[in-house]
Amino acid sequence: MNKKQVTTEHHHFPWDHPRFRSWIAVARACQLMQQTLTRELVHLDIKPPHLDILINLYRFDGITQQELARKMLVGRSNMSMLLPQLEKRGLIKRRGDERDKRVLRLSLTPAGRTLTEEAMEIQTALIEKSLTGSPIEDCMTVAQSMERIIAVLLKEDAD
């Protein structure tokens, strides 16, 4: 009997698993943070996936579409829907790579930079409001736990 069969037989229902409470709490917190962020960004006419793109371009000017998709853990089709929306609004620009014209590099426009800075202030305020009651050490412990989960799931995807 392999390890997965033992686990499945021992914990027949998800809520019987000793880590279920943690799993559901993380999922709910993530969902509520996304909903709150969506509400707070509405006046800027962007959604969290747009903000993810803008922040990545703010931090990593000139990255390729492929690098951006990898950082955001999304497929090319998802990226090909979001980028034109931002480009049409004049927030980002795509340009060919000087060495390889098949590669597109992404950058913020000045308007995109301004909007991103405003949105980052909103996001930072939300982080501060929601986590201010948690000691930094606890936040770092949660971050390390989530990073382990991410690593496990990414490895599983790669296999």
Side-chain angles (χ1 to χ4, degrees):
M1 197 179 300
N2 70 32
K3 195 174 185 178
K4 281 189 178 181
Q5 288 172 322
V6 171
T7 303
T8 303
E9 288 174 14
H10 188 278
H11 303 291
H12 185 67
F13 300 109
W15 53 86
D16 291 338
H17 194 287
R19 291 181 175 94
F20 179 76
R21 181 176 171 207
S22 175
W23 181 82
I24 202 76
V26 168
R28 287 182 175 162
C30 184
Q31 186 175 20
L32 286 169
M33 287 290 271
Q34 287 290 71
Q35 289 172 355
T36 305
L37 185 59
T38 298
R39 248 190 339 271
E40 294 191 13
L41 292 173
V42 77
H43 73 283
L44 297 177
D45 194 27
I46 59 170
K47 294 184 168 114
H50 298 120
L51 181 57
D52 286 346
I53 290 171
L54 296 170
I55 287 175
N56 272 288
L57 296 184
Y58 191 92
R59 291 184 70 197
F60 308 106
D61 182 55
I63 66 172
T64 67
Q65 284 185 220
Q66 188 174 2
E67 290 167 333
L68 180 61
R70 198 169 34 252
K71 282 184 180 299
M72 292 179 56
L73 304 174
V74 298
R76 276 192 273 196
S77 61
N78 208 2
M79 196 59 57
S80 63
M81 287 173 35
L82 294 168
L83 292 176
Q85 296 169 3
L86 296 172
E87 196 172 29
K88 187 176 176 184
R89 287 185 56 194
L91 301 175
I92 68 167
K93 59 185 172 193
R94 296 190 257 192
R95 66 184 189 286
D97 184 90
E98 292 175 12
R99 287 174 281 194
D100 185 348
K101 294 299 179 196
R102 296 170 298 176
V103 174
L104 289 175
R105 300 223 168 254
L106 304 167
S107 296
L108 293 174
T109 63
R113 188 172 250 329
T114 300
L115 182 86
T116 303
E117 288 170 351
E118 192 175 340
M120 286 190 302
E121 284 182 30
I122 291 167
Q123 186 181 41
T124 302
L126 178 58
I127 292 167
E128 183 62 28
K129 180 174 73 176
S130 58
L131 295 175
T132 196
S134 301
I136 296 291
E137 302 78 32
D138 290 359
C139 292
M140 297 313 289
T141 300
V142 170
Q144 290 166 348
S145 293
M146 295 303 103
E147 288 163 356
R148 278 193 300 275
I149 291 169
I150 291 165
V152 165
L153 295 175
L154 285 175
K155 183 180 182 321
E156 196 171 279
D157 268 358
D159 292 347

